[in-house]
Amino acid sequence: MNFWQKNKAHIFKLIFLAFFNALALLSLIISISQGGYILAVITVFIMIIINFVYLSDRFYPLRYILPGTFFMILLVVYPIFYTIYISTTNYGTGNMLNKDQVINHLENRTYLPDEPRTFNFTAFKNEEIDQFKIIFEDREREEYYMADTINREISQISLSDAIFQGLSSPSELEEINGYKRLDRMQIIQNLGTLEALKIEFADNELRMEGINTFALYRQRFVYNSANDTIIDQRDAHEYVVRQGHFYNEEMGRLSPGFRTFVGFRNYRRLLTDDRILQPFFRVFVWTFIWALLSVATTFALGLLLALVLNDKDLRFRKLYRTILIIPYAMPGFISILIWRGLFNPEVGVINRILEALPFVDALPFMNNIFWTRAALVLVNLWLGFPYMMLITLGALQSINPSLYEVSAIDGASIWQRFRYITLPLLFISVGPLLVSSFAYNFNNFNLIYLFNAGRPAIAGAQTPAGGTDILITYTYRLSFETGRGADFGLASAVTLMIFIIVATITWFNFRFTGALEEVKENE
């Protein structure tokens, strides 16, 4: 055996570790350079663990567990804790940045004093490199300055300089080192670039004021780190920190605000603010009703069809079974959009059929909460009954036929055989699946949102809550559809409540499954 074949696995391992360590070191350098010290510590910790596990033979089994554990932490554990963290902050529209970013943003704001220092200007442009040189003229002080758009530095010049030889004004100059003077029309054509130009000048900012002049703008806000306040230099107002904003009693708060820890404020808003609580409670109740109706209707129809198809004397049984599985085979979102068109109150086929019937009027699907909910249950029935039919059909075929034969001999009726033999044995097999189906429909975002986006709206609700919204769509709309922008903190609080409910259902599912297994063992 040559060296390569003998050490192939070890060489691949070293290459993998070298590649991983290079990426980790790059991440470490970037984290430290941007002040992300916590991320840097985590990176070092992960790098040490992975190198230790893959280079030490003592922890050989961990090499197979580690990748799965890593992705479980990254994709499951981390999102949970991050959601908890966001729910305790004011993160949302207007509070996206951290405090340092907001201070930097405010300190970059300028204002034009009542009597600003103004400059006439002459602009020159080099078309090849698309850059400008500008000569500023302060006529009151008879001072001249030149700046360019490459390094944005400004320097004082004089009419006695060589470039002005024989000229009495910068406006008479035609060209400076390949930069050609712009006439008025050309200035208008380049107005966007010139208006965006900001040049630092004597601790202030030189910006375009009009088509003929630049003016000296002053910095408006200054941060006082000793008092943690912002001073408005225009009117000397002082802004203090309050709930993620710099706030002044007379002037109000400055925008943008910054992310900050607010404790349980989002949970208190959810549970005590009537404008949020009332629509939330309606959505919460409808979510449970929706999940129950979804499971009950699909299971009832699926079981009925399964009982029919389980009859061995039924002719064309395979053909019926194939046809009934079609809704399950089609992509769900396509079916939902088709049903949405069918239920359209103006041009939908269903209302046209109803209008054609005697003594029946068109129904306000999509506009009335009751009828939209009814339509949703019907659409979900179409989408869900094939699944229930398949699982109950399989469960029915697993029931011992001798039980029916014995009960028939004892004189049991069809209903008694269904009630005392079929249903109990059926629930042993499909019970956990029904609980799982309940949890799935509890978070059935696609159907609710694609059909009518949770609408129609609940009258008087201060939050974007619709009559057909369930908790998951309500959370989405809280995040992205509020008139005041996104409110990720409140949405995260709602998400955690959904998580607790679904986790409870899952726990119940596991316990229910275990109980049924115990029943089987005792049979």
Side-chain angles (χ1 to χ4, degrees), residues 323-494:
I323 294 173
L324 291 171
I325 290 175
I326 288 177
Y328 195 50
M330 291 179 63
F333 74 95
I334 292 178
S335 298
I336 295 168
L337 294 177
I338 291 173
W339 277 104
R340 177 180 174 173
L342 295 176
F343 277 109
N344 187 291
E346 285 82 26
V347 297
V349 173
I350 293 177
N351 262 348
R352 289 191 175 186
I353 293 174
L354 292 176
E355 288 173 340
L357 297 175
F359 311 112
V360 179
D361 294 327
L363 296 175
F365 298 117
M366 307 293 189
N367 302 321
N368 177 277
I369 292 178
F370 174 81
W371 287 111
T372 308
R373 287 177 175 178
L376 274 169
V377 172
L378 184 61
V379 175
N380 188 68
L381 180 61
W382 166 266
L383 294 171
F385 84 84
Y387 170 72
M388 291 295 182
M389 183 188 72
L390 288 174
I391 63 172
T392 50
L393 190 59
L396 286 173
Q397 292 173 354
S398 68
I399 297 175
N400 191 345
S402 63
L403 295 174
Y404 295 107
E405 295 171 2
V406 172
S407 60
I409 293 172
D410 288 343
S413 64
I414 294 176
W415 168 249
Q416 288 173 323
R417 279 181 278 173
F418 176 76
R419 170 68 180 83
Y420 296 107
I421 298 176
T422 304
L423 271 184
L425 295 177
L426 196 62
F427 276 124
I428 292 174
S429 301
V430 303
L433 298 176
L434 295 180
V435 178
S436 301
S437 179
F438 181 89
Y440 170 78
N441 284 291
F442 199 86
N443 285 325
N444 195 343
F445 179 90
N446 289 346
L447 176 54
I448 300 295
Y449 201 79
L450 287 177
F451 187 72
N452 202 26
R455 291 168 176 81
I458 295 175
Q462 298 295 316
T463 54
T468 58
D469 262 324
I470 57 176
L471 286 174
I472 190 69
T473 57
Y474 180 56
T475 305
Y476 175 82
R477 296 179 66 189
L478 270 180
S479 300
F480 301 105
E481 293 186 6
T482 60
R484 296 172 297 176
D487 191 344
F488 297 122
L490 181 62
S492 296
V494 178

Side-chain angles (χ1 to χ4, degrees), residues 309-325:
L309 294 175
N310 197 41
D311 185 354
K312 296 180 180 178
D313 296 329
L314 180 67
R315 298 184 63 185
F316 308 116
R317 191 169 56 157
K318 293 183 179 179
L319 176 63
Y320 299 146
R321 188 184 303 174
T322 303
I323 294 173
L324 291 171
I325 290 175

Side-chain angles (χ1 to χ4, degrees), residues 23-286:
L23 290 177
L25 286 173
L26 177 62
S27 172
L28 184 63
I29 293 170
I30 294 174
S31 300
I32 293 175
S33 64
Q34 296 184 354
Y37 299 111
I38 295 177
L39 181 60
V41 171
I42 293 174
T43 303
V44 171
F45 178 74
I46 293 174
M47 189 166 61
I48 292 172
I49 291 292
I50 289 181
N51 279 274
F52 186 72
V53 167
Y54 281 91
L55 292 176
S56 172
D57 292 333
R58 292 177 57 192
F59 298 97
Y60 191 86
L62 291 179
R63 299 176 187 181
Y64 302 97
I65 299 174
L66 197 59
T69 305
F70 172 75
F71 284 108
M72 184 190 75
I73 293 173
L74 181 67
L75 302 177
V76 178
V77 178
Y78 171 72
I80 292 173
F81 282 95
Y82 187 71
T83 304
I84 294 173
Y85 161 70
I86 293 297
S87 71
T88 59
T89 69
N90 61 347
Y91 187 42
T93 299
N95 296 88
M96 293 284 190
L97 307 176
N98 62 39
K99 189 175 179 180
D100 290 338
Q101 291 171 322
V102 169
I103 292 172
N104 185 55
H105 179 79
L106 293 173
E107 286 190 325
N108 283 330
R109 290 186 182 176
T110 57
Y111 74 101
L112 193 63
D114 293 335
E115 296 180 0
R117 185 180 176 185
T118 58
F119 299 80
N120 291 81
F121 73 95
T122 305
F124 302 83
K125 184 177 183 182
N126 187 322
E127 296 289 351
E128 293 182 0
I129 58 176
D130 194 26
Q131 295 293 337
F132 296 84
K133 281 184 182 294
I134 303 174
I135 295 178
F136 300 99
E137 180 183 0
D138 186 341
R139 293 183 176 175
E140 290 185 5
R141 303 184 184 186
E142 296 184 351
E143 293 178 355
Y144 300 91
Y145 299 88
M146 180 184 288
D148 61 50
T149 55
I150 296 177
N151 53 29
R152 305 208 173 192
E153 292 181 352
I154 189 167
S155 58
Q156 189 168 8
I157 58 176
S158 171
L159 289 178
S160 60
D161 292 346
I163 59 172
F164 298 116
Q165 189 173 13
L167 303 176
S168 60
S169 169
S171 60
E172 298 176 7
L173 194 63
E174 294 294 334
E175 183 178 349
I176 306 175
N177 299 330
Y179 288 78
K180 294 184 178 180
R181 182 165 60 88
L182 301 180
D183 57 25
R184 189 176 183 83
M185 183 57 68
Q186 290 172 320
I187 287 177
I188 294 174
Q189 291 172 350
N190 293 277
L191 199 59
T193 304
L194 294 173
E195 284 182 334
L197 188 61
K198 299 177 181 177
I199 300 170
E200 290 187 10
F201 183 90
D203 294 332
N204 291 304
E205 196 171 79
L206 199 55
R207 291 168 52 189
M208 195 172 189
E209 183 194 26
I211 192 68
N212 297 317
T213 58
F214 272 64
L216 211 54
Y217 287 72
R218 294 179 181 172
Q219 180 181 349
R220 180 175 176 184
F221 296 106
V222 176
Y223 177 64
N224 185 342
S225 58
N227 299 327
D228 196 20
T229 57
I230 287 277
I231 307 298
D232 187 344
Q233 297 193 113
R234 188 175 63 176
D235 49 23
H237 282 113
E238 185 181 56
Y239 293 79
V240 299
V241 173
R242 180 179 293 182
Q243 297 181 348
H245 286 270
F246 286 102
Y247 179 80
N248 179 275
E249 292 288 348
E250 182 181 346
M251 304 301 293
R253 63 187 188 183
L254 296 176
S255 292
F258 52 87
R259 291 197 306 271
T260 188
F261 178 75
V262 296
F264 293 100
R265 191 178 75 181
N266 290 317
Y267 296 94
R268 285 198 299 271
R269 287 175 61 198
L270 185 62
L271 298 175
T272 60
D273 189 337
D274 287 341
R275 296 172 302 175
I276 299 175
L277 180 61
Q278 289 184 1
F280 174 81
F281 182 72
R282 290 184 64 170
V283 171
F284 184 79
V285 172
W286 163 242

